[in-house]
């Protein structure tokens, strides 16, 4: 059900604040972490800002390779999301590979061949945009989207469609301490005519 997303719609994949799985790879090493803070900052070309602590292994790999990927997990991946967001991928007895440690299935991204996580509802590959001041002063990283895909059962024609019949594909939203929310009810606004008061 995975379909390409036109890049001018890529920012819509994260504009509602989902938790994302950040994957990085460089020099034969790879890592995965969870991030709760990401947001679009430009439409064309599509650019996204994400907070990745400078002290993390993911930050090291990201800056060394100038690329990273985002996978948007669904409720069935809540335990995995919490786990990979709570442990380091730095050297350990098992080689530090969280993908191997937790049996995480991946596929290669179409543009940068980065590992994208199977079972998610959307995927993006990004090239890092170097912002020395921001990266020195803060943990914010900027990237330009070079490929985007989504499960057409929940994202099609440039729009999310969260419904009762596709709740297994809804995005996760971190509330803290391993608790996540999912979109449970969509409210559709309507344009008010001039002079009409909102009720």
């Amino acid at each position: 059900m995975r379909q390409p997303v036109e890049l001018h719609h890529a920012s819509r994949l994260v504009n509602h604040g989902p938790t994302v799985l950040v994957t990085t790879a460089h020099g034969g090493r790879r890592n995965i972490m969870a991030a709760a803070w990401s947001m679009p900052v430009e439409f064309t070309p599509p650019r996204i800002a994400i907070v990745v602590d400078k002290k993390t292994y993911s930050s090291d790999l990201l800056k060394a390779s100038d690329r990273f990927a985002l996978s948007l997990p669904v409720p069935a991946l809540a335990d995995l999301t919490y786990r990979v967001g709570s442990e380091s991928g730095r050297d350990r007895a098992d080689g530090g590979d969280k993908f191997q440690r937790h049996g995480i299935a991946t596929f290669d991204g179409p543009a940068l061949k980065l590992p994208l996580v199977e079972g998610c509802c959307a995927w993006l590959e990004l090239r890092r945009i170097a912002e020395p001041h921001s990266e020195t002063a803060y943990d914010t990283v900027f990237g330009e989207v070079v490929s985007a895909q989504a499960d057409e059962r929940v994202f099609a024609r440039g729009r999310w469609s969260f419904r009762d019949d596709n709740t297994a594909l809804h995005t996760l939203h971190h509330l803290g301490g391993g608790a996540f929310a999912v979109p449970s009810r969509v409210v559709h606004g309507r344009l008010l005519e001039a002079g009409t008061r909102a009720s």
Side-chain angles (χ1 to χ4, degrees):
M1 300 293 183
R2 193 167 59 233
Q3 294 294 325
V5 171
E6 294 181 30
L7 291 184
H8 66 275
H9 287 154
S11 62
R12 295 180 181 176
L13 293 173
V14 296
N15 70 352
H16 63 303
T19 296
V20 295
L21 296 172
V22 183
T23 53
T24 49
H26 181 69
R29 304 296 299 271
R30 59 184 182 167
N31 199 42
I32 180 171
M33 61 166 277
W37 294 354
S38 65
M39 63 176 283
V41 293
E42 294 286 348
F43 291 111
T44 306
R47 294 176 179 169
I48 290 173
I50 184 167
V51 174
V52 179
D53 189 321
K54 289 188 289 290
K55 298 183 293 294
T56 63
Y57 187 43
S58 286
S59 178
D60 293 347
L61 293 178
L62 192 161
K63 290 175 182 174
S65 67
D66 282 329
R67 58 195 183 128
F68 60 103
L70 307 178
S71 299
L72 279 61
V74 298
L77 296 177
D79 290 348
L80 176 69
T81 301
Y82 187 46
R83 170 60 68 188
V84 301
S86 303
E87 64 184 26
S88 175
R90 291 196 188 278
D91 290 339
R92 294 172 38 132
D94 63 3
D97 190 327
K98 289 194 264 185
F99 294 91
Q100 198 169 46
R101 187 184 310 160
H102 300 300
I104 302 171
T106 64
F107 62 96
D108 288 344
L112 304 177
K113 306 305 178 191
L114 287 167
L116 303 178
V117 180
E118 290 277 11
C120 290
C121 61
W123 305 264
L124 304 98
E125 290 181 290
L126 304 97
R127 290 191 199 282
R128 172 179 165 249
I129 300 168
E131 291 286 350
H133 170 71
S134 295
E135 292 174 6
T136 300
Y138 311 106
D139 292 320
T140 305
V141 176
F142 294 89
E144 181 176 330
V145 181
V146 296
S147 81
Q149 304 172 73
D151 191 313
E152 64 182 351
R153 294 172 293 177
V154 72
F155 187 94
R157 296 177 297 283
R159 303 270 183 215
W160 286 105
S161 180
F162 297 120
R163 308 181 308 270
D164 291 341
D165 66 343
N166 67 7
T167 55
L169 297 170
H170 289 192
T171 51
L172 294 178
H173 301 259
H174 194 232
L175 303 178
F180 297 92
V182 295
S184 60
R185 181 171 174 242
V186 175
V187 177
H188 293 278
R190 59 186 177 86
L191 292 176
L192 298 175
E193 294 190 22
T196 304
R197 298 185 63 173
S199 55

